[in-house]
Amino acid sequence: MKKTTFKTALSTAVSMAVAIVSTTMLAACGSNGRPGTSGRAPVASSPVYVSVPVPPPAPLIRRRPAAPPQLTATIGSLARGFEGKFGIAVRAVDDGWMVEERGRQLLPQQSVSKLWVAITLLDLRDSGKARLDDPITVRPEDLTLFHQPLASLVKGDGYRTTVGDLLTRALTRSDNTANDRLLSYVGGPKAVRAMIDRKQLGDIRFGPGERLLQSKTAGLTWVQAYARDNGFMIARSRLSPAVRAAALDAYVSDPPDGAAPVAIVDALSRLARGELLSETSTRIMLDTMGSSVTGRARLRAALPGGWEIAHKTGTGQDLGSRNAGFNDVGLITAPDGRRFAIAVMIGDTREKIRDRQTLIQNVANAVATYAGDIRGAPGAAN
């Protein structure tokens, strides 16, 4: 039996109602109800109500606009020309469309993960549990490895500063000691992972902190002596190539700090729209990211004049010609105010450093070119 449409069902129900009411009225009048046949007044019948079923409204489906075909083709072409394990994602912050190429796999974040420590801190600030002017001391036992300009200031019983100073050093200079000290201040890796879960940031992992992450990636077990006098590099150089290769293979195959580029651009878009932090904390976060001095040959290098960028880089260890982690993620803003979140993450490659930089630059250039073409199109707002 064919399904009855709503209009047909309604018409049928109304016709039945009219028929029932008419029949009831005729029955009430009867032969004795005709004028002149009886002195008794006719009995009025009770009104008849008919319940007409109304189907629920169809759910409103909001569809994100389709990604620009030309930008999609350009990103695809860039991906085909690069060798290695990598992922690219671009999200239009306000329009909602996304272009991605291999962007749903987990790739090493390296120092990109400093973003989540910073957001955890500012989230605590929003709840009144932390202040950027809180005093904090960085002691010798807080020192880490690799890039840590702060180490030169840590003498005697420690370097006294503020939480806000460490936040600035971690995001703008990618200082590992500043970041790990902030990590302990906010409650450690568990607190950061809880923030990621609570805010539903998706496929973003947070590792155990710089010291444990980097030592395991190299094939070492961390000891605090590695933090001074180039101790880590010396110990790593003494390992056999086979041990280092096995450790690096294990890292890139299942990175404990892995994240999907798609998840990162979604998180950055939500940050830009003020959905993760208060208005003030959002501004602090974006202004600090905008002051970054790292990665001058990555996303920033490809942007035309008038564009703004707030970003975070990440760079992993090398083993011969092989690199595990070469990234830049951030928010770029066109002169007309349109915003785009970009994540270019290279997880395992033998491509030269210049070619890695070029891939990242070309993605940024593709987005800027798309935005410029749209801005200059007939009828577009200028």
Side-chain angles (χ1 to χ4, degrees), residues 107-123:
L107 298 166
Q109 294 182 80
Q110 294 296 320
S111 286
V112 167
S113 64
K114 289 179 171 70
L115 292 174
W116 320 124
V117 178
I119 291 176
T120 302
L121 169 64
L122 292 171
D123 191 45

Side-chain angles (χ1 to χ4, degrees), residues 74-286:
T74 301
I75 298 296
S77 176
L78 294 175
R80 287 191 294 274
F82 191 86
E83 295 294 328
K85 185 177 182 179
F86 67 94
I88 301 168
V90 178
R91 170 77 77 190
V93 173
D94 302 298
D95 292 339
W97 55 256
M98 183 173 68
V99 175
E100 60 99 357
E101 189 72 37
R102 310 184 198 179
R104 299 181 185 275
Q105 59 182 321
L106 293 176
L107 298 166
Q109 294 182 80
Q110 294 296 320
S111 286
V112 167
S113 64
K114 289 179 171 70
L115 292 174
W116 320 124
V117 178
I119 291 176
T120 302
L121 169 64
L122 292 171
D123 191 45
L124 290 173
R125 175 190 178 274
D126 289 341
S127 62
K129 297 177 182 177
R131 293 172 56 94
L132 297 186
D133 58 1
D134 279 347
I136 191 169
T137 301
V138 182
R139 296 184 170 84
E141 57 266 31
D142 296 319
L143 298 180
T144 58
L145 71 172
F146 294 150
H147 189 65
Q148 48 175 342
L150 185 60
S152 64
L153 302 175
V154 181
K155 300 174 182 178
D157 60 352
Y159 173 65
R160 291 170 177 79
T161 184
T162 64
V163 168
D165 174 57
L166 295 185
L167 174 67
T168 299
R169 291 175 182 274
L171 289 184
T172 65
R173 297 182 179 277
S174 207
D175 191 304
N176 288 335
T177 289
N179 187 71
D180 267 18
R181 183 64 184 91
L182 277 183
L183 179 59
S184 64
Y185 175 83
V186 302
K190 287 184 179 179
V192 179
R193 293 172 194 141
M195 181 280 295
I196 292 171
D197 289 342
R198 185 171 66 256
K199 294 186 181 294
Q200 299 181 331
L201 300 188
D203 287 335
I204 296 174
R205 292 176 175 177
F206 187 81
E210 288 293 336
R211 290 176 285 192
L212 298 180
L213 178 74
Q214 300 299 349
S215 56
K216 186 174 182 180
T217 300
L220 291 168
T221 300
W222 175 260
V223 294
Q224 191 58 33
Y226 290 163
R228 289 284 195 185
D229 302 322
N230 210 29
F232 179 83
M233 302 294 284
I234 294 172
R236 190 179 69 174
S237 69
R238 292 172 176 164
L239 294 173
S240 71
V243 169
R244 288 208 58 199
L248 194 66
D249 286 342
Y251 172 66
V252 297
S253 65
D254 188 22
D257 66 334
V262 165
I264 289 180
V265 296
D266 282 344
L268 291 174
S269 297
R270 291 176 60 197
L271 173 67
R273 293 194 298 265
E275 297 172 7
L276 298 184
L277 299 168
S278 69
E279 182 178 355
T280 301
S281 290
T282 298
R283 181 46 49 202
I284 291 170
M285 183 76 182
L286 294 179

Side-chain angles (χ1 to χ4, degrees), residues 37-49:
T37 60
S38 171
R40 194 168 53 185
V43 178
S45 62
S46 300
V48 177
Y49 299 97

